[in-house]
Amino acid sequence: MMAGKAKLLAKIIENALIEDDNSDHLNENNTLREQLHAFIDVLIHDIKPKGFAGIYAQTIAYGMFAARITRSHL
């Protein structure tokens, strides 16, 4: 179930990055795009948006899972 949610979220993130690339509003603030570029600068220099989307989605999905588990033990 978690993997399915992470895959769905990754596709949404990837589509958002692609849509941003195709947008006429590239000068507007885009936090997701900024995070991708920071990730490229600091961690994986040749990562593509699809790879970034997968990593980002897994981080969110499993972070929320960990929060849920922690919360249920309080």
Side-chain angles (χ1 to χ4, degrees), residues 7-30:
K7 285 180 184 178
L8 175 62
L9 185 56
K11 192 64 180 166
I12 292 168
I13 293 168
E14 180 184 7
N15 287 340
L17 289 167
I18 290 168
E19 185 176 312
D20 184 54
D21 279 344
N22 296 331
S23 174
D24 293 333
H25 306 289
L26 292 177
N27 293 328
E28 291 183 7
N29 182 18
N30 186 312

Side-chain angles (χ1 to χ4, degrees), residues 44-62:
I44 304 174
H45 305 293
D46 60 348
I47 196 165
K48 305 293 183 240
K50 183 173 184 162
F52 171 77
I55 291 170
Y56 200 84
Q58 288 177 38
T59 301
I60 293 169
Y62 291 99

